[in-house]
Coordinates of all heavy atoms in Angstrom, one line a residue:
F1 N 9.9 108.0 -112.9 CA 9.8 109.4 -112.9 C 9.8 110.0 -114.3 O 9.1 111.0 -114.5 CB 10.9 110.0 -112.0 CG 10.8 109.7 -110.6 CD1 11.9 109.2 -109.8 CD2 9.6 109.8 -109.9 CE1 11.8 108.9 -108.5 CE2 9.5 109.4 -108.6 CZ 10.6 109.0 -107.8
A2 N 10.6 109.4 -115.2 CA 10.7 109.9 -116.5 C 9.4 109.8 -117.3 O 8.9 110.7 -118.0 CB 11.8 109.2 -117.3
V3 N 8.7 108.6 -117.1 CA 7.4 108.4 -117.7 C 6.4 109.4 -117.2 O 5.6 109.9 -118.0 CB 7.0 106.9 -117.4 CG1 5.5 106.7 -117.8 CG2 7.8 106.0 -118.2
I4 N 6.4 109.6 -115.9 CA 5.4 110.6 -115.3 C 5.7 112.0 -115.8 O 4.8 112.7 -116.2 CB 5.5 110.6 -113.7 CG1 5.1 109.2 -113.2 CG2 4.7 111.7 -113.1 CD1 5.3 109.1 -111.7
A5 N 6.9 112.3 -115.9 CA 7.3 113.6 -116.5 C 6.9 113.7 -118.0 O 6.4 114.8 -118.4 CB 8.8 113.9 -116.3
G6 N 7.0 112.6 -118.7 CA 6.7 112.6 -120.1 C 5.2 112.8 -120.3 O 4.8 113.2 -121.4
I7 N 4.4 112.5 -119.4 CA 2.9 112.8 -119.5 C 2.6 114.3 -119.6 O 1.8 114.7 -120.3 CB 2.2 112.2 -118.3 CG1 2.3 110.6 -118.3 CG2 0.7 112.5 -118.4 CD1 1.7 110.0 -117.1
F8 N 3.4 115.1 -118.9 CA 3.2 116.5 -118.8 C 4.2 117.3 -119.7 O 3.8 118.4 -120.1 CB 3.4 117.0 -117.4 CG 2.5 116.3 -116.4 CD1 2.9 115.3 -115.6 CD2 1.1 116.6 -116.3 CE1 2.1 114.6 -114.7 CE2 0.3 115.9 -115.4 CZ 0.8 114.9 -114.6
I9 N 5.3 116.7 -120.0 CA 6.4 117.4 -120.8 C 6.5 116.7 -122.1 O 7.0 115.6 -122.1 CB 7.7 117.5 -120.0 CG1 7.5 118.1 -118.7 CG2 8.7 118.3 -120.9 CD1 8.8 118.1 -117.8
K10 N 6.1 117.3 -123.2 CA 6.2 116.7 -124.5 C 7.5 117.1 -125.2 O 7.5 118.0 -126.0 CB 5.0 117.1 -125.3 CG 3.6 116.8 -124.7 CD 3.5 115.3 -124.4 CE 2.1 114.9 -123.8 NZ 2.0 113.5 -123.6
M11 N 8.6 116.4 -124.8 CA 9.9 116.7 -125.4 C 10.4 115.5 -126.1 O 10.4 114.4 -125.5 CB 10.8 117.1 -124.3 CG 10.6 118.5 -123.7 SD 11.8 118.7 -122.3 CE 13.4 118.5 -123.2
P12 N 10.7 115.6 -127.4 CA 11.2 114.5 -128.1 C 12.5 113.8 -127.4 O 12.6 112.6 -127.4 CB 11.6 115.0 -129.5 CG 10.7 116.2 -129.6 CD 10.6 116.8 -128.3
A13 N 13.3 114.7 -126.9 CA 14.5 114.1 -126.3 C 14.2 113.3 -125.1 O 14.8 112.2 -124.8 CB 15.4 115.3 -125.8
L14 N 13.1 113.7 -124.3 CA 12.7 112.9 -123.2 C 12.1 111.5 -123.6 O 12.4 110.5 -123.0 CB 11.7 113.7 -122.3 CG 11.1 113.0 -121.1 CD1 12.2 112.6 -120.1 CD2 10.1 113.8 -120.4
Q15 N 11.4 111.6 -124.7 CA 10.8 110.3 -125.2 C 11.9 109.3 -125.7 O 11.8 108.1 -125.5 CB 9.8 110.6 -126.4 CG 8.6 111.5 -126.0 CD 7.8 110.9 -124.8 OE1 7.6 109.7 -124.7 NE2 7.4 111.8 -123.8
I16 N 12.9 109.9 -126.3 CA 14.0 109.1 -126.7 C 14.7 108.5 -125.5 O 15.1 107.3 -125.5 CB 15.0 109.9 -127.6 CG1 14.4 110.3 -128.9 CG2 16.3 109.1 -127.8 CD1 15.3 111.2 -129.7
F17 N 14.9 109.3 -124.5 CA 15.5 108.8 -123.2 C 14.7 107.7 -122.6 O 15.3 106.7 -122.2 CB 15.7 110.0 -122.2 CG 16.1 109.5 -120.9 CD1 17.4 109.2 -120.6 CD2 15.2 109.4 -119.8 CE1 17.8 108.8 -119.3 CE2 15.6 108.9 -118.6 CZ 16.9 108.6 -118.3
I18 N 13.4 107.8 -122.6 CA 12.6 106.8 -122.0 C 12.6 105.5 -122.8 O 12.8 104.4 -122.2 CB 11.1 107.3 -121.9 CG1 11.0 108.4 -120.9 CG2 10.2 106.1 -121.5 CD1 9.6 109.1 -120.9
S19 N 12.6 105.6 -124.1 CA 12.6 104.4 -124.9 C 14.0 103.7 -124.8 O 14.0 102.5 -124.7 CB 12.3 104.7 -126.4 OG 11.0 105.2 -126.5
A20 N 15.0 104.5 -124.9 CA 16.4 103.9 -124.8 C 16.6 103.3 -123.4 O 17.2 102.3 -123.3 CB 17.4 105.0 -125.1
G21 N 16.1 104.0 -122.4 CA 16.2 103.5 -121.0 C 15.5 102.2 -120.8 O 16.0 101.3 -120.2
F22 N 14.3 102.1 -121.3 CA 13.6 100.8 -121.2 C 14.2 99.7 -121.9 O 14.2 98.5 -121.5 CB 12.1 101.0 -121.7 CG 11.1 101.3 -120.6 CD1 10.6 102.6 -120.6 CD2 10.8 100.4 -119.7 CE1 9.7 103.0 -119.6 CE2 9.9 100.7 -118.7 CZ 9.3 102.0 -118.6
A23 N 14.9 100.0 -123.1 CA 15.6 99.0 -123.8 C 16.7 98.4 -123.0 O 17.0 97.2 -122.9 CB 16.0 99.5 -125.2
L24 N 17.5 99.3 -122.4 CA 18.7 98.9 -121.6 C 18.2 98.3 -120.3 O 18.9 97.3 -119.9 CB 19.5 100.2 -121.3 CG 20.3 100.9 -122.4 CD1 20.9 102.2 -122.0 CD2 21.3 99.9 -123.0
F25 N 17.2 98.8 -119.7 CA 16.6 98.2 -118.5 C 16.2 96.7 -118.8 O 16.5 95.8 -118.0 CB 15.5 99.0 -118.0 CG 14.8 98.5 -116.8 CD1 15.3 98.8 -115.5 CD2 13.6 97.7 -116.9 CE1 14.7 98.3 -114.4 CE2 13.0 97.2 -115.8 CZ 13.5 97.5 -114.5
S26 N 15.5 96.5 -119.9 CA 15.0 95.2 -120.2 C 16.2 94.3 -120.5 O 16.1 93.1 -120.1 CB 14.1 95.3 -121.5 OG 13.0 96.1 -121.2
G27 N 17.2 94.8 -121.2 CA 18.4 93.9 -121.4 C 19.0 93.5 -120.1 O 19.5 92.3 -120.0
A28 N 19.1 94.4 -119.2 CA 19.7 94.1 -117.9 C 18.9 93.0 -117.1 O 19.5 92.1 -116.5 CB 19.9 95.3 -117.0
V29 N 17.6 93.1 -117.2 CA 16.7 92.1 -116.6 C 16.9 90.7 -117.2 O 17.0 89.7 -116.5 CB 15.2 92.6 -116.6 CG1 14.3 91.5 -116.1 CG2 15.0 93.8 -115.8
I30 N 17.0 90.7 -118.5 CA 17.1 89.4 -119.2 C 18.5 88.8 -118.8 O 18.5 87.6 -118.6 CB 17.1 89.6 -120.8 CG1 15.7 90.0 -121.2 CG2 17.6 88.4 -121.5 CD1 15.6 90.5 -122.7
L31 N 19.5 89.6 -118.8 CA 20.8 89.1 -118.4 C 20.8 88.5 -117.0 O 21.3 87.4 -116.7 CB 21.9 90.2 -118.6 CG 23.4 89.8 -118.4 CD1 23.8 88.8 -119.4 CD2 24.2 91.0 -118.5
L32 N 20.3 89.3 -116.1 CA 20.3 88.9 -114.7 C 19.4 87.7 -114.5 O 19.8 86.8 -113.7 CB 19.7 90.1 -113.8 CG 19.7 89.8 -112.3 CD1 21.0 89.5 -111.7 CD2 19.1 91.0 -111.6
Q33 N 18.2 87.7 -115.0 CA 17.3 86.5 -114.9 C 17.8 85.3 -115.4 O 17.8 84.2 -114.7 CB 15.9 86.8 -115.6 CG 14.9 85.8 -115.4 CD 14.4 85.6 -114.0 OE1 13.5 86.3 -113.5 NE2 15.0 84.7 -113.2
T34 N 18.4 85.3 -116.6 CA 19.1 84.1 -117.1 C 20.2 83.6 -116.2 O 20.4 82.4 -116.0 CB 19.6 84.4 -118.5 OG1 18.5 84.9 -119.3 CG2 20.1 83.1 -119.2
N35 N 21.0 84.6 -115.8 CA 22.1 84.3 -114.9 C 21.7 83.6 -113.6 O 22.3 82.7 -113.1 CB 22.9 85.6 -114.6 CG 24.1 85.3 -113.7 OD1 24.2 85.7 -112.6 ND2 25.1 84.7 -114.2
Q36 N 20.6 84.1 -113.0 CA 20.1 83.6 -111.8 C 19.6 82.1 -112.0 O 19.8 81.3 -111.1 CB 18.9 84.4 -111.3 CG 19.3 85.8 -110.7 CD 18.2 86.6 -110.2 OE1 17.1 86.5 -110.7 NE2 18.4 87.5 -109.2
I37 N 19.0 81.8 -113.2 CA 18.6 80.5 -113.4 C 19.8 79.6 -113.5 O 19.9 78.5 -112.9 CB 17.8 80.4 -114.7 CG1 16.5 81.2 -114.6 CG2 17.5 78.9 -115.1 CD1 15.7 81.3 -115.9
V38 N 20.8 80.0 -114.3 CA 22.0 79.2 -114.5 C 22.7 78.9 -113.2 O 23.3 77.8 -112.9 CB 23.0 79.9 -115.5 CG1 24.3 79.2 -115.6 CG2 22.4 80.0 -116.8
R39 N 22.8 79.9 -112.3 CA 23.5 79.8 -111.0 C 22.6 79.2 -109.9 O 23.1 79.0 -108.8 CB 24.1 81.1 -110.6 CG 25.1 81.7 -111.6 CD 25.6 83.1 -111.1 NE 26.3 83.0 -109.9 CZ 27.6 82.8 -109.8 NH1 28.3 82.5 -110.8 NH2 28.2 82.7 -108.6
G40 N 21.4 78.8 -110.2 CA 20.5 78.2 -109.3 C 19.8 79.1 -108.3 O 19.2 78.7 -107.4
G41 N 19.9 80.4 -108.6 CA 19.2 81.4 -107.8 C 17.8 81.5 -108.0 O 17.0 82.0 -107.2
E42 N 17.3 81.1 -109.2 CA 15.9 81.1 -109.6 C 15.5 79.7 -110.0 O 16.0 79.2 -110.9 CB 15.7 82.1 -110.8 CG 14.3 82.1 -111.3 CD 13.2 82.6 -110.2 OE1 13.1 83.8 -110.0 OE2 12.6 81.7 -109.6
T43 N 14.6 79.2 -109.2 CA 14.1 77.8 -109.5 C 12.7 77.7 -109.9 O 12.2 76.6 -110.2 CB 14.3 76.9 -108.2 OG1 13.6 77.5 -107.1 CG2 15.8 76.8 -107.8
N44 N 12.0 78.8 -109.9 CA 10.6 78.8 -110.3 C 10.5 79.3 -111.8 O 10.6 80.5 -112.1 CB 9.8 79.7 -109.4 CG 8.3 79.6 -109.6 OD1 7.8 79.9 -110.7 ND2 7.6 79.0 -108.6
Y45 N 10.2 78.4 -112.7 CA 10.2 78.7 -114.1 C 9.0 79.6 -114.5 O 9.0 80.3 -115.5 CB 10.2 77.4 -115.0 CG 9.0 76.6 -114.9 CD1 8.0 76.8 -115.9 CD2 8.8 75.6 -114.0 CE1 6.8 76.0 -115.9 CE2 7.6 74.9 -114.0 CZ 6.6 75.0 -114.9 OH 5.5 74.3 -114.9
I46 N 7.9 79.6 -113.7 CA 6.8 80.4 -114.0 C 7.1 81.9 -113.8 O 6.9 82.7 -114.7 CB 5.6 80.0 -113.1 CG1 5.0 78.6 -113.5 CG2 4.5 81.1 -113.1 CD1 3.9 78.1 -112.6
L47 N 7.8 82.2 -112.7 CA 8.2 83.6 -112.4 C 9.3 84.0 -113.4 O 9.3 85.1 -113.9 CB 8.7 83.7 -111.0 CG 7.7 83.5 -109.9 CD1 8.3 83.8 -108.5 CD2 6.4 84.4 -110.1
A48 N 10.2 83.1 -113.7 CA 11.3 83.4 -114.7 C 10.7 83.7 -116.0 O 11.1 84.6 -116.7 CB 12.2 82.2 -114.8

């Protein structure tokens, strides 16, 4: 929703929020994906 809003609303604060949000989101995915591999929840290395 923030990215869609950013297309129409050119606010520096919104762009900072989107970039910071994606950085945190990506970090969470890396942590979860690695954890799933370690715990045996993810066995397909292609998808990982």
Side-chain angles (χ1 to χ4, degrees):
F1 291 136
V3 169
I4 294 173
I7 297 175
F8 304 99
I9 305 174
K10 303 301 181 181
M11 291 176 54
L14 180 59
Q15 299 305 318
I16 292 174
F17 170 79
I18 292 173
S19 294
F22 266 109
L24 292 173
F25 178 84
S26 300
V29 173
I30 291 171
L31 187 60
L32 178 61
Q33 181 65 86
T34 307
N35 180 250
Q36 287 179 332
I37 296 174
V38 172
R39 298 176 64 87
E42 176 62 82
T43 58
N44 190 294
Y45 70 95
I46 289 178
L47 296 184

